[in-house]
Structures are given as structure tokens and as C-alpha cells.
Amino acid sequence: MAWSRPVGWILDHLVYRTTVRGRSNVPAAGPVIFAGNHISFLDGPVMFGAAPRPMHILVKQEMFTGVLGRVLTASGQLAVDRSGGRAALQRAKSILDAGHCVGILPEGTRGSGDAASINNGVAWLALNSGATVIPVAILGTRTGGEHLNAVPRPGRRLHVSFGGALTVSRRPGETGRASMDRVGTEIRAALSRHVQDTIRSSGQQLPDADAPNPPQTAVAGTPADHHLRKVQ
């Protein structure tokens, strides 16, 4: 990912004007899961460019075609088959087990970005890898009633904020499913709070939730929960 890190920086700071906060919250070493809210197809690249450490981001496999697919593969991103995500989750766990970082947009699809609900893939990864979870608020990549496929005009002010570290674990006597549901709730609440805190500090609002919703072409989060039951 050596070549793609500068590309991410250029996107954040030359194409757009990105304010980055909370980088000191990210551990300098060890496995980290960056869990960001999802409002635009640019969220993954913007988070990638703003983070103090490189990461492998889970991206839906439909994006891995043509030139873009070769770029995603060469930059170390992970293809997610949303009809059944076992392989992607296991690959992500292997990366975390090696002490590296994974990025995930656990809302799964683009929307208002308020983290009102998330898929439990992020909880599965956190529990099974012991990785630290960092909630990431991404604002400005889509605003107001902009179309879900809207490309922000160059020069727009974006905001990326890395929240406080969250460490999770199973409790004695707790079933695997109960642990995953509890931890998913904890991560969702932490991400939602951090998004609201970032809105207050930046003055940047979330986009409308009911913007036109065409077929998805964006960076994806995790597979649906019913597919995750296969990897418990």
C-alpha cells in the first residue's frame, strides 16, 4: 500500500479540504478496526487517506472489475461477496491477527450516516481478533439532498474524526451469538455518539436519509447478518 497512501493524502488535502481530528486515538501498533459511518462512495478512500496507519478496506466485489478493480487489488483492499461473506471476514481476521489494520463501513450501504443500525461483521471481527475498534466519523462527502452517487465538488470541506478506542471481549458464560449481538450494539452506540459529537464540533450536518437510492455502486460494509451466522 506504499503507493496508495500518498494518493489518499492527495484526495484528502489537494482535491478536497479535509479536517482530520483524533489521530492520536489510534494505537501506533497492534490490530485496529476502523469502523466508519457511510454516506458516500468516497467514504472509504477518504478514511484511508486520513488515517495515521494504512488499512485494508472491505469493498463489495462488484467494484473489482476493469481498471478500478486492478487499482483496488493493487492497493490491498478486500473483496466482499455480499451473498456470503465468510472468505472476506476470514481474510480480514488474518490481517488483524498479523497486527495490521482493517477498515469497514458497518452500516453496509450508503444512507444518512447516523449509524442507527450496523451489520455485525465488525463485532465478529473484533471478538475473534481482539483488535481495538476505532469509530470514525466521516462528514461532507455527501450533503443535504445530494444524490447517493453525487461526486463532491473539488475543494469541498470534509471532516474525518477518529474517536476513542473501544476494546471488546466475550463475557463468561455468554454464548457466541449473544456476545456478537452485545458487542455490535456497543460498537453501533459508540459510532453513533461519535458521529453526533463530530457534527457538533464541525458544524457539518449529515445528508438527507431519503435521498434517491439507485443500485449501489459504492464501497460496501459487511455482509448481512444472516450470512455471518455461517462464520460463528
Side-chain angles (χ1 to χ4, degrees), residues 3 30 49 56 60 63 69-70 85 95-96 140 142 149 155-156 160-161 181 191 193 208 212 223 230-231:
W3 65 269
H56 302 262
K60 71 175 185 177
M63 299 290 285
R70 290 193 289 273
I95 289 167
L96 293 168
R142 189 166 63 88
N149 284 337
R156 176 181 288 183
V160 180
S161 177
D181 288 343
L191 177 56
R193 283 194 304 270
D208 296 340
K230 300 176 184 178
V231 296

Side-chain angles (χ1 to χ4, degrees), residues 106-179:
E107 289 175 289
T109 58
R110 290 165 289 167
S112 70
D114 60 358
S117 64
I118 66 171
N119 294 328
N120 270 353
V122 63
W124 187 91
L125 281 175
L127 284 167
N128 287 279
S129 67
T132 297
V133 180
I134 299 291
V136 185
I138 305 161
L139 301 175
T141 52
R142 189 166 63 88
T143 62
E146 285 182 332
H147 196 283
L148 286 170
N149 284 337
V151 178
R153 214 176 272 178
R156 176 181 288 183
R157 173 69 68 184
L158 310 180
H159 300 271
V160 180
S161 177
F162 299 93
L166 180 65
T167 302
V168 300
S169 62
R170 284 194 172 92
R171 293 173 178 170
E174 192 174 48
T175 66
R177 186 68 206 187
S179 292

Side-chain angles (χ1 to χ4, degrees), residues 1 5 23 26-32 34 47-56 98-101 132 162:
M1 290 183 285
R5 295 277 287 158
R23 288 166 63 98
V26 179
V32 172
F34 293 95
M47 180 171 68
F48 182 88
R53 293 178 60 186
M55 71 180 80
H56 302 262
H100 303 306
C101 303
T132 297
F162 299 93

